[in-house]
Amino acid sequence: KIISKMAQTVASSGGDLARPFTVAVEGNVGSGKTTFLQHFNKNQNVAVLAEPIDMWRNCSSYNLLELMYQDPKKWSFTFQSYVQLTMLRQHQRKTRQPIKLMERSLYSARYCFVEKLCRDGLMAKPSMEVIDQWFNYVTKLEDTQLDLIVYLRTSPEVAFERILKRNRSEERTVAFEYIRDLHDIHEAWLYNKTLHKCKAPVIVLNADLDQSVIEEEYMKFEPHILNKIP
Ligand code: DGT
């Protein structure tokens, strides 16, 4: 199915890929997306785009990530607007390589994080409406389409333990309940597929595995991600 999608893309662009085969790496906070991306960094056919978290921490010297965690009611619209802009830039970034691996996407920002803010009553309805109109507009563009989603599936307990261990300063107030709820939303979106329609195929990896054995899990799925080169 994936290969035929690829062939279609090639055919419709007259033999030239209109955009790289685009893979979004998704999963809860602390699921190991960074480690996964590092594994593919060595491959010459893959452009790896890390999440623009440094930009969120330094938007003309404002740490929007910190502001959002400190006072989500006040800052979530500002933060999500900036996440949406920086993610759009990642989707539109041109690459020399035929495969593009992205850490997260416009889709998880909307379907997981905005969803959670909304459920908690932390984003006002009119703000949500503006985010949604932008989202609906930009996700119609060809550049923002995905060909595959890799879901790094963890239990919320493991994700939470990793967050505590890495001790990122902005995340010091993150409670287990937040990670559990984000887990449930990721599950509904990518595993049970009961939340939002998901056009791209999804492959699910067991990301609870310890770092010493997770490479094997990556290797199992590597052909899905890499054997698309025509
Ligand atoms: P990893 O390598 O799987 O541990 O990935 P992380 O945890 O470094 O990356 P990610 O994207 O799960 O989260 C980075 C931080 O940014 C985390 O504190 C959650 C936050 N974050 C990411 N995207 C959004 C968003 O769209 N909205 C909100 N409110 N927070 C977000």
Side-chain angles (χ1 to χ4, degrees), residues 5-6 8-9 12 17-26 49 87-95 98-102 104-108 111 134-149 189 197-201:
K5 173 98 207 298
M6 180 92 176
Q8 267 172 25
T9 318
S12 66
L17 269 182
R19 62 175 164 77
F21 186 80
T22 307
V23 183
V25 181
E26 303 285 1
L49 301 192
M87 280 297 181
L88 175 61
R89 284 195 188 135
Q90 298 286 70
H91 282 276
Q92 293 193 311
R93 218 150 104 190
K94 300 282 173 259
T95 61
I99 300 166
K100 181 174 179 178
L101 261 191
M102 292 181 61
R104 289 204 181 279
S105 61
L106 279 167
Y107 300 91
S108 46
Y111 295 155
W134 270 110
F135 176 80
N136 292 335
Y137 180 73
V138 297
T139 53
K140 284 194 184 76
L141 305 173
E142 172 58 22
D143 282 345
T144 60
Q145 304 312 305
L146 296 178
D147 298 297
L148 182 67
I149 296 178
W189 175 36
K197 58 177 188 296
C198 188
K199 283 192 269 172

Side-chain angles (χ1 to χ4, degrees), residues 28-34 51 53 56 65 68-69 79-80 83 103-104 109 113 166 168 171:
N28 206 347
V29 181
S31 59
K33 295 178 289 299
T34 310
E51 186 173 59
I53 187 166
W56 306 344
L65 183 66
M68 188 274 304
Y69 275 123
F79 182 67
Q80 294 304 149
V83 169
E103 182 171 8
R104 289 204 181 279
F113 290 94
R166 77 176 170 207
R168 197 180 265 155
E171 292 171 354

